[in-house]
Amino acid sequence: MEATLMPPTETASPARQAFLDLRGYLSEQVLGQAALVERLLVALLADGHLLVEGPPGLAKTRAVKALAHGLEVDFQRVQFTPDMLPADLTGSEIFRPEEGAFRFQRGPLFHNLILADEINRAPAKVQSALLEAMAEHQISVGAASHALPRLFLVMATQNPIEQEGTYPLPEAQLDRFMLHTRVDYPDRATTLRIMALARTEARDARELPPPPRRLAQETVFAARREVLALTLAEPVAEYIAALVEATRRPEPYSAQLAEWLRWGASPRAAIAMERGARALAWLDGRDFVTPDDVQSIAPDVLRHRLLLDYGAQARGIGAQACIDELLRQVPAP
């Protein structure tokens, strides 16, 4: 199926043109991380959450700050630490002497965009509180539940280098992240551009320049409706289902996969793959989804959802090798 790009200025909807402007702004502020910028927009369009893994200093924090700068939203960064408590995220009941009663004081989760920095440094109780927020768009304190904002996105980061004082994320929480994106070092030319940008920001008190316009939340919701209205042909839907099924029952597709995989992806992975592929097609200006869209988003959808056999791990085989084999063996329409 051949993809035809829609001219961005003449036929793009107002919502899509606004997202194209936002992508241009993010690309100017986050140099050398085009994949991260794209995945942030995909997560926003698909109403999902994003886990970003990479060494320090690769603009992970800057990316989500720039996104918040380009939207009419509230932003909160939370630095996760081993001594953190659930109330540090959710808030707690505070006694008001003047009222003689307890009142709920909202925590940082009640913002639209949350940067969960070094999420794997927080203990299990804190992870549980975040899991409820990501899964249910609400938090529970005592016997009461409190709804979170309608537009709610968590971008979590973790450092693959330092393992001391970290807690592995439970599989249930990993499954709540729509995408797991890895970022790497930029090339030399991009590093020179980053240095020039840093000199400019030093003169401007390290503030991000204003975007051409800030997207209203209603524009985001309108874009989401357009994404869900895209055509998804039955063969492409079958392809998504086959990819996810092959992670659970790989024997008909590949003996290697059957040897490597211990546990496959949940139905939530199929939903994430479909919505991510729709978002990519919409950003490219198409009104239909292609197998290429599915193959492009599949690694970030599956990377954190596959559990490998101990023998495969001992031989240095990672999730990416499994995904590459999966995409080779499952026939595309």
Side-chain angles (χ1 to χ4, degrees):
M1 188 180 296
E2 185 178 353
T4 56
L5 292 183
M6 185 186 301
T9 55
E10 297 179 4
T11 57
S13 69
R16 180 172 172 266
Q17 187 58 55
F19 264 82
L20 292 178
D21 294 341
L22 177 61
R23 180 166 64 178
Y25 171 71
L26 294 177
S27 298
E28 291 174 356
Q29 304 308 315
V30 186
L31 303 179
Q33 301 294 351
L36 175 57
V37 167
E38 182 181 68
R39 292 317 190 236
L40 268 175
L41 295 179
V42 167
L44 182 63
L45 287 167
D47 192 16
H49 306 290
L50 180 65
L51 176 63
V52 181
E53 182 176 339
L58 295 186
K60 300 185 293 295
T61 300
R62 182 184 178 89
V64 72
K65 282 185 175 180
L67 178 64
H69 210 53
L71 301 171
E72 292 180 357
V73 296
D74 297 324
F75 167 70
Q76 181 68 48
R77 175 186 176 182
V78 183
Q79 184 67 47
F80 280 56
T81 57
D83 60 347
M84 200 171 187
L85 298 175
D88 296 329
L89 280 180
T90 62
S92 59
E93 297 284 348
I94 304 296
F95 183 72
R96 306 284 186 183
E98 65 276 9
E99 301 176 10
F102 284 91
R103 291 283 182 249
F104 179 65
Q105 180 70 40
R106 293 185 170 192
L109 283 184
F110 286 88
H111 292 75
N112 302 111
L113 262 64
I114 307 295
L115 172 59
D117 213 0
E118 296 191 283
I119 186 174
N120 54 333
R121 293 196 177 277
K125 287 186 176 181
V126 176
Q127 303 290 359
S128 297
L130 185 61
L131 175 61
E132 181 189 9
M134 293 168 59
E136 309 296 337
H137 276 215
Q138 69 172 31
I139 60 99
S140 297
V141 177
S145 295
H146 304 271
L148 295 173
R150 182 183 173 195
L151 178 59
F152 179 69
L153 185 151
V154 174
M155 176 181 144
T157 70
Q158 60 181 14
N159 179 352
I161 300 175
E162 295 178 286
Q163 300 301 322
E164 185 176 352
T166 62
Y167 300 81
L169 298 182
E171 281 72 21
Q173 183 168 354
L174 284 172
D175 197 36
R176 298 295 179 177
F177 284 101
M178 176 187 174
L179 304 172
H180 177 190
T181 299
R182 288 178 174 164
V183 294
D184 207 346
Y185 294 109
D187 57 25
R188 182 169 59 179
T190 304
T191 300
L192 289 171
R193 293 173 57 205
I194 292 171
M195 292 164 60
L197 181 62
R199 289 195 299 270
T200 301
E201 291 184 343
R203 293 193 297 268
D204 297 337
R206 301 180 65 84
E207 292 184 2
L208 288 169
R213 56 173 166 165
R214 299 186 73 195
L215 270 67
Q217 293 189 28
E218 282 305 319
T219 302
V220 176
F221 299 138
R224 288 178 177 177
R225 290 191 292 269
E226 291 183 13
V227 168
L228 291 176
L230 262 61
T231 299
L232 182 73
E234 189 64 27
V236 180
E238 291 282 353
Y239 181 48
I240 293 173
L243 286 172
V244 175
E245 174 72 11
T247 67
R248 307 172 196 151
R249 299 176 180 86
E251 293 83 1
Y253 298 96
S254 168
Q256 273 192 326
L257 277 178
E259 181 184 351
W260 293 345
L261 287 176
R262 184 161 57 97
W263 206 260
S266 71
R268 194 177 286 115
I271 297 171
M273 204 177 300
E274 178 199 339
R275 293 190 176 180
R278 286 177 178 273
L280 287 179
W282 186 81
L283 286 170
D284 278 348
R286 287 177 278 112
D287 61 359
F288 59 91
V289 180
T290 71
D292 287 342
D293 297 320
V294 176
Q295 293 169 357
S296 176
I297 204 68
D300 286 3
V301 170
L302 296 175
R303 180 175 290 119
H304 54 303
R305 291 183 162 99
L306 302 181
L307 290 182
L308 273 62
D309 183 82
Y310 296 118
Q313 296 179 49
R315 297 197 302 272
I317 296 167
Q320 188 59 51
C322 293
I323 295 168
D324 292 341
E325 176 71 6
L326 184 75
L327 294 176
R328 280 194 299 266
Q329 300 301 331
V330 178

